[in-house]
Amino acid sequence: MKNTKYKLYSKESVEIGPDSGYDNYIMAIESSCDETACAIVKNGREVIANVVASQIKTHAQFGGVIPEIAAREHLDSINIVIEEAFKQAKDNANIEPDDISAFAATVGPGLVGCLLVGLNAAKTLALTFDKPFIGVNHLNAHLCGNYLDTDLKPPFMALLVSGGHTQIIDVKSYSEQHILGETIDDAVGEAYDKVARLIGLPYPGGPKLDKLAQEGNPHAFKLPEGKVDGYNFSFSGLKTAVLRLVKSFDGEIPTNDICASFQETVSATLLKKLKLALEKSGYKQVVIAGGVAANSEIRKKIFNLENEGYKVFAPPMKYCTDNAAMVASCAYFNTNTFDDVNVEVFSRVK
Ligand code: KG4
Ligand code: ZN
């Protein structure tokens, strides 16, 4: 892995990753949406510092993330999370800023104003300490959350479910992966948040809907599964069906039963397609990732695959939602090149 472009650091070449032959400490920053996070990870798996500043309280007042406000909050928090991560690394592993092998940041997909805060902080650190900079794709990072504190090795089949994406991914090696299917309309997290809003739950709706669902009857209402071919998904019809159902009640709405029925339909659909992909691939390892991987029923259904001989990996809750440890792991395992000073952010999947 050689940096041949305009260099952010002065050395001729430096190896980062599993083949480097020495211990790598990567500091990463995540600021793609509403979490300002900084972490330091040893050799892609061992988390020695992990700091997350959440903006949930701010955005709850508006019922969703306002990009300009989010970017300003990132500016307020960025230096604090970096300082705290350096402090944790010193306390936990006696690691000094000079020991960091490379600096990384999420460069997309995400909110451009937000991404720029993390990217510029990480590039500045790389210049200051004369170390390489690695730009990381947020979706790949979510998958790599599964390498933290585990011995997971590819190949495996992955289900990535977040606020913006729903994908089934064939992970053939640390650096080679193929998207087999994805949503043709709403992402799972988006569907959760929209349904939550229409039944009157405050932002962020996904986790709240999940909680109510656990109190309801999952078979109270029969809701339609999106009909799409292959490994693709569709959730907008389901969302409309819930809207119609809610409107059909004059008096009190059976919220828990609606949540449970919605959750049952979503989780059954995800499981069905994931199983299809697994059977076709012959893989025995399954991974779930992304914010919605925190969902109780989706986890339960997918972990049940262990009774069928599969090994299931899901990050602990703190590595499901946005964090920087997964970004550091991704920089270590999944990156073939270093980025130069002109690296840019992007809002949508390229
Ligand atoms: O991955 P993430 O933190 O941010 C994105 O990159 O999108 O995912 C956030 C999404 C939100 O839509 C949130 O409502 C959803 O994950 N989410 C959940 C749960 N926890 C978070 N959805 C359903 N059940 C949950 N327990
Ligand atoms: Zn995310």
Side-chain angles (χ1 to χ4, degrees), residues 81-215:
V81 298
I82 292 169
E83 243 170 64
E84 177 59 24
F86 276 134
K87 185 175 176 302
Q88 284 185 9
K90 173 78 184 156
D91 293 348
N92 294 339
N94 204 24
I95 289 298
E96 303 279 354
D98 259 334
D99 298 323
I100 302 295
S101 325
F103 292 88
T106 305
V107 291
L111 301 168
V112 166
C114 297
L115 290 163
L116 282 170
V117 176
L119 171 66
N120 282 311
K123 281 202 294 198
T124 306
L125 285 163
L127 275 169
T128 306
F129 292 101
D130 196 18
K131 296 289 163 65
F133 169 77
I134 301 168
V136 171
N137 178 303
H138 184 78
L139 302 179
N140 291 346
H142 268 299
L143 290 187
C144 293
N146 280 284
Y147 296 132
L148 300 169
D149 301 332
T150 71
D151 55 4
L152 170 69
K153 293 181 182 68
F156 54 81
M157 195 59 70
L159 175 69
L160 176 66
V161 275
S162 76
H165 299 88
T166 306
Q167 297 177 334
I168 292 181
I169 306 162
D170 178 353
V171 181
K172 290 188 178 297
S173 70
Y174 286 119
S175 55
E176 186 190 355
Q177 39 195 270
H178 301 278
I179 297 169
L180 301 184
E182 57 195 329
T183 181
I184 59 162
D185 40 55
D186 290 353
V188 185
E190 192 181 355
Y192 262 90
D193 294 339
K194 285 178 179 170
V195 166
R197 200 172 315 140
L198 71 89
I199 57 175
L201 300 177
Y203 168 90
K208 296 196 172 69
L209 198 162
D210 181 11
K211 252 206 171 114
L212 295 186
Q214 293 170 51
E215 308 293 319

Side-chain angles (χ1 to χ4, degrees), residues 82-341:
I82 292 169
E83 243 170 64
E84 177 59 24
F86 276 134
K87 185 175 176 302
Q88 284 185 9
K90 173 78 184 156
D91 293 348
N92 294 339
N94 204 24
I95 289 298
E96 303 279 354
D98 259 334
D99 298 323
I100 302 295
S101 325
F103 292 88
T106 305
V107 291
L111 301 168
V112 166
C114 297
L115 290 163
L116 282 170
V117 176
L119 171 66
N120 282 311
K123 281 202 294 198
T124 306
L125 285 163
L127 275 169
T128 306
F129 292 101
D130 196 18
K131 296 289 163 65
F133 169 77
I134 301 168
V136 171
N137 178 303
H138 184 78
L139 302 179
N140 291 346
H142 268 299
L143 290 187
C144 293
N146 280 284
Y147 296 132
L148 300 169
D149 301 332
T150 71
D151 55 4
L152 170 69
K153 293 181 182 68
F156 54 81
M157 195 59 70
L159 175 69
L160 176 66
V161 275
S162 76
H165 299 88
T166 306
Q167 297 177 334
I168 292 181
I169 306 162
D170 178 353
V171 181
K172 290 188 178 297
S173 70
Y174 286 119
S175 55
E176 186 190 355
Q177 39 195 270
H178 301 278
I179 297 169
L180 301 184
E182 57 195 329
T183 181
I184 59 162
D185 40 55
D186 290 353
V188 185
E190 192 181 355
Y192 262 90
D193 294 339
K194 285 178 179 170
V195 166
R197 200 172 315 140
L198 71 89
I199 57 175
L201 300 177
Y203 168 90
K208 296 196 172 69
L209 198 162
D210 181 11
K211 252 206 171 114
L212 295 186
Q214 293 170 51
E215 308 293 319
N217 171 8
H219 304 291
F221 304 104
K222 180 102 188 84
L223 294 165
E225 276 187 30
K227 293 263 179 292
V228 243
D229 289 344
Y231 306 116
N232 289 332
F233 300 96
S234 164
F235 294 106
S236 72
L238 172 61
K239 179 191 64 194
T240 311
V242 175
L243 177 64
R244 245 186 250 128
L245 180 63
V246 168
K247 283 190 170 161
S248 71
F249 295 99
D250 276 339
E252 203 181 318
I253 298 165
T255 310
N256 295 359
D257 286 349
I258 294 176
C259 291
S261 302
F262 169 77
Q263 182 140 298
E264 175 61 26
T265 313
V266 171
S267 52
T269 308
L270 292 173
L271 178 71
K272 193 159 79 184
K273 300 262 167 149
L274 180 61
K275 257 187 101 168
L276 212 64
L278 269 173
E279 281 159 9
K280 186 90 189 290
S281 69
Y283 293 166
K284 285 291 166 203
Q285 298 192 111
V286 194
V287 155
I288 50 174
V292 191
N295 183 268
S296 63
E297 187 58 31
I298 294 170
R299 283 178 99 90
K300 191 171 121 200
K301 281 199 170 60
I302 292 173
F303 269 101
N304 274 342
L305 288 171
E306 298 215 318
N307 299 328
E308 298 176 35
Y310 294 101
K311 178 97 183 87
V312 179
F313 290 82
M317 298 299 179
K318 64 180 172 183
Y319 301 139
C320 276
T321 44
D322 289 348
N323 65 87
M326 66 184 194
V327 179
S329 180
C330 192
Y332 179 80
F333 281 118
N334 207 334
T335 315
N336 297 318
T337 53
F338 301 141
D339 289 290
D340 67 17
V341 76

